[in-house]
Amino acid sequence: MYTTVLISVEIIMMVLATVNCEIPNYIHICKREDPELSACIANSVNTLIPYLKVGIPELDVPPLEPLQLNDVQLKLGSDDAKIATNITNIHVWGASSFQLLSLRAIVSPNANTFHFNVNVPRLQLLGQYAIDTKILFLNLKGNGPLEINITDYSFNCTMNGHKIEKNDVTYLEFERMECSMNFKNVNVLLKHIFNGNALLGNTTNTVINQNVDMFYKEIKPSLVEALGKTFTDIANKITLRFSYDELFP
Ligand SMILES: *[C@@H]1O[C@H](CO)[C@@H](O)[C@H](O)[C@H]1NC(C)=O
Ligand SMILES: *[C@@H]1O[C@H](CO)[C@@H](O)[C@H](O)[C@H]1NC(C)=O
Ligand SMILES: *[C@@H]1O[C@H](CO)[C@@H](O)[C@H](O)[C@H]1NC(C)=O
Ligand SMILES: *[C@@H]1O[C@H](CO)[C@@H](O)[C@H](O)[C@H]1NC(C)=O
C-alpha cells in the first residue's frame, strides 16, 4: 500500500517534470494560489518583453518591431485650408519598449481577468503620404515619406479570458483586449513636401500639427486595432499552447 502510494507519487512527479520541461524558461510559471499572483504575472511579462521584440519562432510569435497598420485616409481643415491625405505602408516602431506600470490579475474558477496599465515612451509611425491640399489659395498635390511620433502613450487595458477544452485539456483563451488610452504629444512631419518648398511645406506641416487631435483621431482606429490584435494574439499563442494547469498550477 505504502509502496504503491510512493510509486504513484513518483510517477506523478515524473509526469509533472516532463510537462514542465516543455515550458520554455522565458515563461515564468505563477501558482494560482500565490498571494502575490499579480506581482508574479507582472514579473513574467517583464521577462517576456525582450523576447517579444524579436519574436518567438517556436511559439509562432512574430517580432513586435515593426507593427504594420492598415492604410489611413484623412481630411482636415476648413474650406480655405483643406488637406486630404492618404497614408500607406505604415510601420510602427516602439511597441516593444512598453513599461508595465501596474497589473492586477484575477485568476479564479469563475473569472480570469487581467487589468494592466502600460506606458509606451515613444511610438514612431513611418509611412508614405499622398496629399492634396488647398492652402494659401493654391491647390497642391504631393507625396513622400511621413513620420509621426506619439510620446508618453499610456494605456489602461483589460483582458478577459475564458476556459476552453481541447482534447480533454483546459486552456485559457483571451477575448480581444479593451483599452483606454491617452498620450502627451503627437508630432507629424510630411517630409520633402512640395519638392522641398520651405514655405508651403512649413505651412502644411504647421496646419497639420495645429489639428493634430483630428489627425490622431483618424489614425487611432487603425493603430488601436493593430495593437489590440497583436497583444491579444501573443497572449493566446502562449495560453493556447500550454494548458491552464501548466501555466497556473
Ligand atoms: C486617396 O485615396 C482615394 C481612394 O483611393 C482617392 O480617391 C484619393 O484621390 C486619394 N487622395 C490622395 C490625396 O491621394
Ligand atoms: C488609467 O487609470 C487611472 C486610474 O484609474 C487613471 O488615473 C488614468 O487616467 C487612466 N489612464 C487612461 C489612459 O485611461
Ligand atoms: C521623432 O522622434 C525622433 C527621435 O526622437 C526625432 O529624431 C524626430 O525628429 C521626431 N519627429 C517628429 C516628427 O517629431
Ligand atoms: C520651416 O522653415 C524654417 C525656416 O524657413 C526651417 O528652418 C524649418 O526647418 C522649417 N520647418 C519645417 C517643418 O519644414
Side-chain angles (χ1 to χ4, degrees):
M1 170 69 186
Y2 190 63
T3 335
T4 323
V5 172
L6 264 187
I7 291 173
S8 317
V9 168
E10 256 173 24
I11 291 175
I12 291 170
M13 300 283 279
M14 271 165 58
V15 169
L16 283 180
T18 330
V19 167
N20 279 337
C21 271
E22 284 180 11
I23 296 203
N25 60 4
Y26 48 79
I27 296 178
H28 284 184
I29 300 304
C30 296
K31 293 210 166 72
R32 250 178 260 186
E33 306 298 337
D34 186 341
E36 300 292 331
L37 177 66
S38 294
C40 179
I41 294 174
N43 190 29
S44 306
V45 174
N46 284 325
T47 307
L48 210 52
I49 294 175
Y51 293 88
L52 297 181
K53 185 172 187 168
V54 292
I56 310 173
E58 64 266 33
L59 298 182
D60 192 28
V61 172
L64 258 181
E65 304 290 351
L67 281 179
Q68 203 156 352
L69 293 200
N70 292 330
D71 294 352
V72 174
Q73 289 186 21
L74 52 92
K75 286 196 168 84
L76 296 178
S78 56
D79 275 349
D80 51 349
K82 226 181 318 192
I83 298 177
T85 314
N86 290 348
I87 313 172
T88 53
N89 198 21
I90 313 170
H91 290 86
V92 184
W93 299 87
S96 70
S97 60
F98 70 89
Q99 296 155 344
L100 186 62
L101 301 181
S102 68
L103 182 144
R104 192 160 57 85
I106 301 160
V107 173
S108 74
N110 316 324
N112 291 277
T113 301
F114 301 82
H115 299 284
F116 54 92
N117 176 216
V118 300
N119 181 264
V120 184
R122 184 166 65 93
L123 266 192
Q124 188 166 49
L125 284 68
L126 301 176
Q128 295 292 321
Y129 68 85
I131 192 168
D132 194 345
T133 63
K134 188 175 171 194
I135 208 157
L136 304 175
F137 307 104
L138 298 169
N139 287 307
L140 298 161
K141 287 181 196 293
N143 57 69
L146 164 93
E147 184 178 287
I148 303 170
N149 289 342
I150 306 178
T151 54
D152 272 331
Y153 207 8
S154 67
F155 296 79
N156 288 349
C157 303
T158 300
M159 281 180 94
N160 273 312
H162 54 267
K163 291 181 188 167
I164 59 162
E165 303 285 327
K166 266 196 307 186
N167 303 323
D168 291 331
V169 181
T170 304
Y171 295 89
L172 185 62
E173 183 173 49
F174 288 105
E175 291 142 35
R176 178 71 63 90
M177 71 176 189
E178 300 282 343
C179 303
S180 62
M181 63 212 73
N182 56 46
F183 56 81
K184 190 164 154 203
N185 255 309
V186 177
N187 279 299
V188 181
L189 181 63
L190 309 184
K191 294 183 178 173
H192 312 314
I193 190 165
F194 310 134
N195 303 317
N197 182 314
L199 175 62
L200 295 175
N202 249 328
T203 308
T204 307
N205 276 306
T206 303
V207 170
I208 287 177
N209 283 290
Q210 280 166 350
N211 293 282
V212 84
D213 285 344
M214 276 192 273
F215 191 91
Y216 169 74
K217 217 173 95 194
E218 300 292 330
I219 44 170
K220 183 180 171 185
S222 186
L223 187 56
V224 169
E225 160 77 16
L227 291 171
K229 182 173 179 346
T230 301
F231 282 97
T232 308
D233 284 353
I234 291 172
N236 278 327
K237 292 247 162 90
I238 295 168
T239 57
L240 295 175
R241 176 70 157 258
F242 306 105
S243 76
Y244 191 80
D245 291 336
E246 284 175 280
L247 291 174
F248 301 107

